[in-house]
Amino acid sequence: MSIVGTRQNPLRVAIVGSGPAGFYTAAALLKAGRKTGRLVTVDMLERLPAPFGLVRYGVAPDHPKIKQVIDKYVNTAQDPAFNYLGNVELGKDLSVDELAQSHHAVVVCTGAATDRRLDIPGEDLWGSHAATAFVGWYNAHPDFCDCTFDLSQEAAVIVGHGNVAVDVCRILASTADELNHTDIAEHALEALVSSRIRDIYMIGRRGPTQAKFGHVELRELGGLEDVDLVVDSKDLILNSASEAEFADRSTRENQKNLRTLKEFSCRPIGNGGRRLHIRFLESPVELGGDEQVNTIVLEKNTLKGEPFHQVAVGTGERLELNTGLVFRSIGYHGIPITGLPFNARRGIIPNEVGRVLDEHHHVVPGMYTAGWIKRGPVGLIGNNRADATETVNALLSDVDKSDLEIKPGGQALLPLLAERGVRIVDYTDWEKIDAVEIERGKTREKPREKFTRVEDMLAALD
Ligand code: NAP
């Protein structure tokens, strides 16, 4: 046993997941090391060859500014104490125990990789999809590149009033000109260019004061080239509890949203190629159809409860929309990792300020978590910075209190992974893939043409 953080015994931390939470955790650890003179090394494991998680595979292609945060992650990756192990999956290529043996601490930052379900009849019919699958598809995520969406439909329905729902609506409503020079996957661009969708419905179960989308995102819908917005002014009348919410400073974003929605509701409906209907106080109760969805049944809601605790309650009044394409966009959900505790209801790893807790609520020594898998799928990319810092502070305070044995770090994993036939993609490899993608994009005047398959990324290295 010896003090950790010295040349003889550097603090060896493994981070699982290379999205925002993973990179903010790495940055916070390396910064703390520099500040305190403690020697820290970081091994970042990533299931896919490409890093950056939701920034690469979740942020919409027409939002390049949001993706600029990657520049900061690249700075972190340049640190000599940072080591990237791409194409390595925890729970499949390596066990949690193996990782814990080679490192003083493991920080799990695997995000929320799947979606929440509506649990209504017909949800599994063809034509009913998770918005997360559509997002992965247009962003060239290898898990979703073979998905197909029936864009020959005249109407598409998106359930949910969050920013993901707005992204899906905007991508469906955009013209080729609006998408052509983005990093959208080529297969998605081809399909969207010949889309026959004319009506897009974004359905929220509560009212405008409770909608989760941001004001910038809402306004952007109003600026789309060839889209008429359809908002019923009756939906914008607030009950007294919503009036009380509206008067509170905390709802400034919703106050701006309401003003914008009122402006949308006054716009004349012209001859736009597409109509985007933003609707409130409706919940899907059933999807009809034999093999493919052909209708969605909605129930009108009313709001009940105190301000800020209002829930949508069905009124019994139903209506039907004809559609063969439905996206549920009602939130992401984390998935369990073999060997780690998991709260299936919340889709998170149980934890206390980032320290992983077992089923008896006892801290699992050396095991930490950050990001959406720690706190659930809420917040913007930048929110993960404070979240990661909280976890790193807990980790460092634990390390300060203990004498820990010397750990070998990521080097010890290399023979194990080689034995298992895993082709590790290190950071230099990723830079090669990155350069090829950028080159491929040039002919189409796109920032990059992403690889959609892991095999193709690996082939680009040989
Ligand atoms: P979200 O913001 O949590 O929105 C989920 C929506 O689904 C809410 O309108 C919610 O309504 C609704 N919903 C939940 N359960 C439902 C049900 N059973 N039936 C009908 N509706 C239901 O989730 P998200 O859109 O997936 O976004 C996740 C996070 O990523 C958010 O923090 C978001 O801001 C962020 N994000 C940001 C951007 C951006 O910055 N441009 C882009 C994408 C995502 P209730 O309010 O009634 O629960």
Side-chain angles (χ1 to χ4, degrees):
M1 301 283 180
S2 67
I3 297 166
V4 183
T6 59
R7 190 163 291 283
Q8 295 72 33
N9 189 6
L11 173 61
R12 306 279 192 197
V13 183
I15 295 174
V16 186
S18 69
F23 268 99
Y24 288 127
T25 301
L29 278 164
L30 296 168
K31 186 175 169 197
R34 283 192 298 274
K35 229 167 135 183
T36 57
R38 202 190 321 237
L39 207 61
V40 181
T41 71
V42 167
D43 294 301
M44 179 179 278
L45 275 68
E46 165 56 54
R47 177 171 79 90
L48 294 170
F52 312 131
L54 213 60
V55 182
R56 176 176 161 98
Y57 290 121
V59 173
D62 56 344
H63 280 171
K65 275 202 182 133
I66 301 182
K67 293 183 202 231
Q68 282 172 6
V69 70
I70 285 180
D71 296 347
K72 297 228 161 57
Y73 307 158
V74 169
N75 279 343
T76 302
Q78 308 295 348
D79 192 303
F82 176 93
N83 181 31
Y84 180 69
L85 297 155
N87 202 32
V88 178
E89 185 171 347
L90 184 67
K92 181 174 149 247
D93 301 320
L94 271 182
S95 71
V96 171
D97 276 353
E98 284 163 342
L99 202 55
Q101 272 163 30
S102 53
H103 293 81
H104 294 111
V106 175
V107 189
V108 181
C109 308
T110 45
T114 185
D115 66 292
R116 293 182 53 216
R117 290 177 58 85
L118 287 162
D119 292 327
I120 57 170
E123 192 169 6
D124 292 318
L125 287 170
W126 157 241
S128 158
H129 307 275
T132 49
F134 188 64
V135 170
W137 174 76
Y138 64 61
N139 274 328
H141 192 299
D143 290 355
F144 301 103
C145 63
D146 291 324
C147 290
T148 48
F149 302 95
D150 184 1
L151 303 179
S152 69
Q153 293 292 320
E154 279 201 8
V157 175
I158 295 92
V159 179
H161 270 176
N163 280 325
V164 171
V166 173
D167 280 350
V168 170
C169 288
R170 199 181 59 255
I171 296 296
L172 285 173
S174 293
T175 59
D177 276 353
E178 285 167 312
L179 296 174
N180 258 339
H181 303 301
T182 71
D183 68 358
I184 191 166
E186 198 56 24
H187 60 237
L189 185 59
E190 273 170 24
L192 286 161
V193 163
S194 42
S195 158
R196 294 176 56 194
I197 294 173
R198 174 144 173 79
D199 287 286
I200 300 164
Y201 297 86
M202 183 167 72
I203 310 278
R205 65 177 169 182
R206 298 195 288 160
T209 322
Q210 294 81 30
K212 298 258 170 66
F213 42 69
H215 183 245
V216 171
E217 289 75 8
L218 179 67
R219 274 230 68 86
E220 218 177 341
L221 294 178
L224 290 172
E225 240 173 55
D226 193 24
V227 176
D228 287 327
L229 286 158
V230 187
V231 178
D232 185 344
S233 58
K234 287 198 287 299
D235 278 355
L236 308 180
I237 300 168
L238 306 183
N239 65 8
S240 57
S242 296
E243 289 278 10
E245 290 175 16
F246 192 70
D248 194 275
R249 276 172 63 92
S250 65
T251 59
R252 286 231 312 260
E253 195 77 355
N254 298 77
Q255 295 168 16
K256 287 191 274 179
N257 280 349
L258 191 63
R259 279 195 287 276
T260 297
L261 287 162
K262 281 186 177 159
E263 187 258 299
F264 287 172
S265 74
C266 297
R267 286 192 190 184
I269 300 177
N271 296 319
R274 294 199 168 105
R275 283 184 299 247
L276 173 50
H277 309 249
I278 307 178
R279 295 171 51 144
F280 297 90
L281 293 167
E282 289 172 352
S283 283
V285 287
E286 185 176 352
L287 301 182
D290 291 331
E291 282 175 14
Q292 177 164 1
V293 176
N294 56 29
T295 55
I296 181 167
V297 182
L298 300 166
E299 181 170 9
K300 282 278 182 197
N301 294 328
T302 184
L303 292 179
K304 292 231 164 108
E306 296 298 309
F308 298 104
H309 299 286
Q310 295 192 82
V311 291
V313 178
T315 60
E317 183 190 342
R318 293 189 170 194
L319 58 132
E320 233 176 72
L321 293 174
N322 292 331
T323 177
L325 187 61
V326 175
F327 296 99
R328 57 179 180 278
S329 182
I330 60 167
Y332 286 80
H333 197 81
I335 51 173
I337 294 174
T338 312
L340 283 178
F342 190 66
N343 178 330
R345 189 181 57 81
R346 295 186 58 202
I348 61 159
I349 296 175
N351 69 91
E352 199 173 65
V353 294
R355 294 183 181 95
V356 173
L357 302 176
D358 67 15
E359 68 271 31
H360 308 295
H361 299 281
H362 295 148
V363 167
V364 181
M367 206 53 72
Y368 300 85
T369 180
W372 278 6
I373 195 70
K374 168 188 174 187
R375 67 175 199 281
V378 282
L380 306 178
I381 290 168
N383 297 123
N384 290 297
R385 186 205 296 264
D387 182 284
T389 304
E390 179 186 68
T391 297
V392 167
N393 288 343
L395 185 161
L396 293 174
S397 109
D398 293 347
V399 166
D400 280 342
K401 288 184 206 132
S402 20
D403 276 349
L404 297 171
E405 61 183 326
I406 295 172
K407 296 278 188 170
Q411 284 303 316
L413 303 174
L414 304 185
L416 214 60
L417 290 167
E419 214 173 87
R420 293 172 189 169
V422 179
R423 163 63 160 105
I424 300 169
V425 172
D426 64 20
Y427 201 75
T428 312
D429 288 336
W430 157 246
E431 286 175 322
K432 285 185 201 150
I433 296 171
D434 188 34
V436 177
E437 283 190 348
I438 292 170
E439 195 54 40
R440 282 159 36 114
K442 279 185 184 156
T443 47
R444 299 179 172 100
E445 293 179 60
K446 293 170 76 173
R448 67 177 61 235
E449 188 60 57
K450 290 184 201 166
F451 287 108
T452 53
R453 295 184 192 280
V454 169
E455 311 85 87
D456 294 342
M457 288 190 215
L458 300 183
L461 296 173
D462 297 328

